Structure formats: structure tokens, C-alpha cells
């Protein structure tokens, strides 16, 4: 398999999917549950490096092996969480070429005239959003945001940044007075969102980097302070592809692979669970995907702190990568299936593998639950990242949608906590369904008057 979405001859990567392993050997190891090498993983991801394109028979063999491994590792339950996404701000100067979530920060400055689609919430506004959602029964709030130049960890951090001669140029800092809306400090946002016993899942390694920029503070210290302010676990986005030659193309302004790993280790050392992600289907090839999986597996060997792995399929429509002709499309169905399957087979130390209905839609999202995935994400209630990138699968799934879809593939539907330790099996014959694990949840359907977003909630759509 080549990197199909890349226009011919565009990138001369050092790492290419050629190996000295054979597909058959790799498949034998995968079926036996032996630990796979990167060369093995590349064979499975490509269905053989000795032939062009995906071989449909071999692909089915890989998917079947992964589905079996899923059943052995975690059983048949399909889990999901009652959660809310709350993005604090879209202001960001990092300039990732795959991202249309952000708006450059100067557009938020007082006196900027042209219209823009961005927003910044004060801590009080964030709290109000979480408060409302708590009444619907959510267990978790997930909060990921742009790196607003006025955002700082705490007042001590602000003083340090203000002591620079030219803080905007040197450490991407401008005081709140320069902007229409003030995000406050990260600590204030954590305090605001961790209201009423909700589980707060926030602060990606990229955001943690921003929360310590211009200081010599460790990631562990920063995450400890955030934890004291109410943070419970950290999302492992900003991972994208953890191979430098790919980051150089798609996100040259972002933290490096090593920095991402250091951030995750800091969060885990501070006592937080973390998730891990890969964002694939753009300029990278199958070798990069498997190299990324090895970074994750090594991190998990050292820490055991990763609760789930989330393959995020690149949504290309409204992104600079697409506009500039650097990619022509996202991943194919076969690439999505193999990404999930090889993640299950390669990551022998990560229990939970998420199928993201936001990225894949219902039909493919369900299919992937038979290719190695065991988790079907969360209700989320609102979504900005995929929507702004041009994705059309909506912003919400109800518990009834979940039970209907998961039952349709013959699997038990299970409400979970963020850390997967609390679980509640739902009885398909006993609807209407609502959450029970959240601090204010009592089984009432979350938003009974809303539909499932951008597409009907049928397993066969
Ligand atoms: C939008 S950022 C917000 C948090 C923070 N700024 C960061 O970079 O971690 C969260 C993640 O969304 C994902 N993302 C952004 N644009 C995407 C796209 N077009 N398709 C798929 N995933 C995307 C990336 O994996 C990114 O790390
Ligand atoms: N895959 C996507 C997620 N996943 C995160 C989950 O919703 C949940 O927060 C996590 O499993 C921890 O419990 N969130 C998105 O907004 N978009 C996705 O594509
Ligand atoms: N916010 C990310 C997805 C995500 C969030 C939290 C996680 O723990 C994992 C993945 C996106 O939509 O692209
Ligand atoms: S992915 Fe995150 S860091 Fe990169 S531009 Fe988007 S919001 Fe900013």
C-alpha cells in the first residue's frame, strides 16, 4: 500500500513500507498473540510489502485475527461514556496544517474588525456549560482547546511571561487586556469545569506545553497543579504521527515526538490516567503508522498509564493540507479497518481501542467494532474539531442510539466511566435508556428531543 492520499512524488520520506518480514509470518505471530515487530506490523498494515494495493483476502485475515484478539483481551462488551465536549477557545498560533478548528489569535484582539468564527469562554462560561450538561447525566467533560496567547497556568506563570522583553515573539504571550474575551488561567478553567463531581478529562501534552512555556517547570509539576485544581485524566491528542519527518510536514509548529512522550509521562507521574491517539490518513505511509504504534507501546510498557487508544481518521475537506494540494483525500475504508486491526494486534498492552463515530459515522464505526475495537466513544453533546474540518457525522449520540446500534451487531451495550472501571450493562428490551454513572444521572434519557446529529442512527445507513 502506498500513501494513497499524497499526490505523486510530493514527499521523499526516509521511512517507507518495505520490510524483510513476510506477511504469512507476521500473520502467524499475530494469531498466536506473539509480540509484533515494526516489520511485522508493516506487513499486516499493507497486507504485504511485496505487492501493491490492499489484498482483500489478506485484509480479511488481519481483521479476523484482530477481532479474535479483542474478544480474548476484553470480551464482547461495547462500551461508551456519557460525556460532553467543551472547548474553551479556538485561538491558536501553532498553525497545524491538518487543523481547521483554530483561528489565528490576532483575530481575537480588541479592535480586529473582520468577522471570524472563533470563540473564547471565560471560566464562568465554561462552568455554566458543564453545569447544564451535568443535569443531563454526563459522567465526563472533555476539554481540548487552542493555545490562546493570554492563557497561562496561574498568576505566577503570568508574571514570568510578562518579565520577557518581547513576550509575544519569545513565548507566545499577550495579556488578556489585548483581547475581547479572557480565558483566565488553566487552573481557573480546571476549577470551573470540575464542578459537581464530574470527571474532568483535559490538558493534552500540547496544552501542558503551553501551560509551562517560558519556565523551567516540569510536566509533572504542571499536571500536579492542574490535578489539585480538579483535573482527573489527560487526553493524548497532539500525537498526530509520532515520527519527526511527518511532523515536519503537517505540524512544524507543534511539540516534538519526544516532548509529547515527556508530557504524557509527566501526566502519568502526577497520578493521572491518559489516553493516546494517532491522527492518520494524510501524508504519512504505513511505516509511519506502525512506528507510531511502537512509540505508544513503549510508553505503555514503561508506565501502564494509557487507558485507551484512539485512531482519529483525518478529515480533509476544509484543511490547509487539502487546500494546498498536499493531500487529495483522507484514509480509504481499507486503511481505516487495517489501522484499527493492527492497533489491536500491535498494542498488546493497551486494553481499550476506540472506534470514533465522529470520524467514521455509524456504519463504519460499527464495522470497526468487528475489526478489533471495543469502545464506541461518547455522547459528546457538541463537537467543533471534526465539524470545522468538514466532517458530517453530527455532534451527539443518545443512549437509545447506542443501544440500538450495538445490539444490532449482537454485542452487549455497556455504559462506562472514563477509566473503564465502572460499567453498567444496558438491557435492550428496557428502554428508553439514559445514563446512570454520572453524579446527577438517574437513567433519564439525556436529550430526548434531539436526534442523532448529521445522520440517522441506523446500523445499516
Ligand atoms: C484540535 S486539537 C485541540 C487540542 C490541542 N490544541 C492539541 O493540539 O492537542 C485536538 C486534536 O484534534 C485532531 N484533529 C485536528 N484536526 C483534525 C482533522 N482535520 N481531522 C482529524 N483530526 C483532527 C488532532 O489529532 C489534534 O491533536
Ligand atoms: N474519538 C473522539 C473522541 N474521543 C474521546 C471520548 O469521547 C472520551 O472523551 C474518551 O474516550 C475518554 O472517556 N472525542 C471527540 O471529541 N472526537 C473524537 O473523534
Ligand atoms: N478531541 C479529539 C478526540 C479525542 C479527545 C479526547 C481523547 O481522550 C481522545 C480523543 C478530536 O476530536 O479529534
Ligand atoms: S491541532 Fe491544536 S495546536 Fe494545532 S492548530 Fe489545531 S488547535 Fe492549535
Amino acid at each position: 500500500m502506498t500513501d494513497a492520499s499524497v499526490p505523486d512524488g510530493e514527499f521523499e520520506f526516509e521511512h517507507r513500507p518495505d520490510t524483510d518480514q513476510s506477511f504469512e509470518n507476521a500473520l502467524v505471530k499475530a494469531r498466536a498473540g506473539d509480540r509484533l515487530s515494526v516489520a511485522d506490523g508493516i506487513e499486516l498494515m499493507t497486507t504485504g510489502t511485496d505487492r501493491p494495493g490492499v489484498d482483500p483476502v489478506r485484509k480479511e485475515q488481519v481483521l479476523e485475527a484482530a477481532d479474535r484478539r479483542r474478544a480474548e483481551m476484553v470480551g464482547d462488551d461495547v462500551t461508551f461514556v456519557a460525556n460532553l465536549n467543551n472547548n474553551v477557545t479556538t485561538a491558536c498560533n501553532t498553525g497545524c496544517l491538518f487543523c481547521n478548528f483554530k483561528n489565528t489569535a490576532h483575530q481575537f484582539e480588541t479592535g480586529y474588525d473582520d468577522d471570524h468564527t472563533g470563540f473564547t469562554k471565560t471560566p464562568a462560561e465554561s462552568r455554566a456549560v458543564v453545569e447544564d450538561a451535568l443535569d443531563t447525566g454526563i459522567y465526563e467533560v472533555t476539554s481540548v482547546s487552542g493555545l490562546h496567547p493570554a492563557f497561562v497556568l496561574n498568576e505566577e506563570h503570568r508574571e514570568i511571561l510578562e518579565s520577557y522583553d518581547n513576550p509575544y515573539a519569545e513565548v507566545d504571550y499577550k495579556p488578556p487586556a489585548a483581547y475581547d474575551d479572557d480565558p483566565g488561567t488553566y487552573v481557573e478553567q480546571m476549577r470551573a469545569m470540575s464542578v459537581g463531581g464530574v470527571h474532568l478529562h483535559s490538558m493534552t501534552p500540547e496544552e501542558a506545553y503551553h501551560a509551562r512555556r517560558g519556565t523551567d517547570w516540569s510536566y509533572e509539576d504542571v499536571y500536579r497543579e492542574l490535578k489539585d485544581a480538579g483535573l482527573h485524566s489527560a487526553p493524548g491528542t497532539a500525537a498526530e504521527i509520532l515520527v519527526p519527518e511527518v511532523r515536519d510536514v503537517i505540524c512544524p509548529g507543534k511539540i516534538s515526538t519526544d516532548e509529547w512522550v515527556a508530557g504524557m509521562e509527566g501526566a502519568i507521574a502526577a497520578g493521572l490516567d491518559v489516553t493516546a491517539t494517532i491522527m492518520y490518513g494524510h501524508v504519512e505511509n504505513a511505516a509511519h503508522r506502525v512506528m507510531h504504534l511502537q512509540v505508544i507501546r513503549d510508553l505503555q510498557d514503561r508506565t501502564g498509564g494509557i487507558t485507551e487508544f484512539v485512531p482519529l481518521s483525518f478529515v480533509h475537506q476544509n484543511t490547509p493540507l487539502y487546500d494546498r494540494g498536499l493531500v487529495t483525500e483522507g484514509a480509504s475504508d481499507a486503511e481505516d479497518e487495517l489501522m484499527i486491526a493492527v492497533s489491536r494486534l500491535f498494542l498488546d498492552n493497551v486494553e481499550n481501542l476506540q472506534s470514533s463515530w465522529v470520524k467514521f459515522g455509524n456504519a463504519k464505526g460499527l464495522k470497526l467494532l468487528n475489526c478489533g475495537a471495543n469502545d464506541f466513544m461518547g455522547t459528546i453533546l457538541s463537537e467543533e474539531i471534526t465539524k470545522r474540518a468538514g466532517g458530517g457525522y453530527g455532534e451527539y449520540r443518545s443512549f437509545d442510539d447506542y443501544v440500538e446500534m450495538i445490539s444490532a451487531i449482537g454485542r452487549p451495550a455497556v455504559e462506562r466511566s472514563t477509566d473503564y472501571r465502572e460499567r453498567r450493562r444496558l438491557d435492550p428490551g428496557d428502554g428508553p435508556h439514559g445514563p446512570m454513572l454520572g453524579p446527577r444521572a438517574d437513567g433519564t434519557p439525556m436529550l430526548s428531543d434531539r436526534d442523532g446529529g448529521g445522520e440517522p442512527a441506523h446500523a445499516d445507513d
Side-chain angles (χ1 to χ4, degrees), residues 86-92 101 143-147 151 186 204 207:
N86 176 51
N87 310 110
V88 170
T89 177
T90 59
C92 191
F101 168 75
S143 183
V144 301
S145 299
L147 312 180
F151 230 161
Y186 283 110
T204 78
E207 295 174 279

Side-chain angles (χ1 to χ4, degrees), residues 98 144-145 204 206 237-238 240 254 279 313-315 319 385 389:
F98 54 79
V144 301
S145 299
T204 78
E206 189 73 35
T237 65
E240 323 313 357
K254 209 159 196 151
M279 205 270 300
S313 198
F314 174 53
V315 178
T319 63
I385 300 169

